[in-house]
Amino acid sequence: MLVLRSVALFLVAALFEIGGAWLVWQGVRGDGNGGGRGWIWIGAGVIALGLYGFVATLQPDGEFGRILAAYGGVFVAGSIAWGMVADGYRPDRWDVTGALICLAGMAVIMYAPRGH
């Protein structure tokens, strides 16, 4: 049950961090041609990024370094997924392979048996 809770928290954290970064990006750059959407988008992004920092503290494991290192794998895969949904990004096989490697690394870091 702790693993399911941990995975759910990683997914919520990813939504806040990737979503927050995307909102800031949209606020500043918009469509990439200098057409930013403004300060409201940037402010919403900053709030979401702050919520990400809070959600990360809810992980059952108390080791900051382990949580953030493992979250890196979730961030990589989540960023590719977000780009696909929000921006129409089409990853190639190397993007997908890299994301799967990152997720495997996250699983080893977080869920390998440690004997304590």
Side-chain angles (χ1 to χ4, degrees), residues 17-38 41-46 49 82 87:
E17 187 183 19
I18 298 164
W22 184 82
L23 286 167
V24 171
W25 179 280
Q26 293 299 313
V28 174
R29 296 187 60 170
D31 60 8
N33 295 319
R37 297 181 180 191
W41 285 67
I42 295 168
V46 168
L49 288 166
W82 188 282
D87 294 327

Side-chain angles (χ1 to χ4, degrees), residues 30-94:
D31 60 8
N33 295 319
R37 297 181 180 191
W39 286 104
I40 291 175
W41 285 67
I42 295 168
V46 168
I47 291 168
L49 288 166
L51 289 170
Y52 149 73
F54 177 76
V55 169
T57 69
L58 301 176
Q59 282 288 343
D61 190 305
E63 297 294 333
F64 175 82
R66 181 176 296 140
I67 299 301
L68 270 284
Y71 175 70
V74 175
F75 180 81
V76 169
S79 295
I80 290 173
W82 188 282
M84 291 171 62
V85 172
D87 294 327
Y89 173 68
R90 297 290 170 242
D92 63 21
R93 65 183 173 167
W94 301 112

Side-chain angles (χ1 to χ4, degrees), residues 94-107:
W94 301 112
D95 294 325
V96 172
T97 301
L100 291 173
I101 290 168
C102 290
L103 288 174
M106 180 277 291

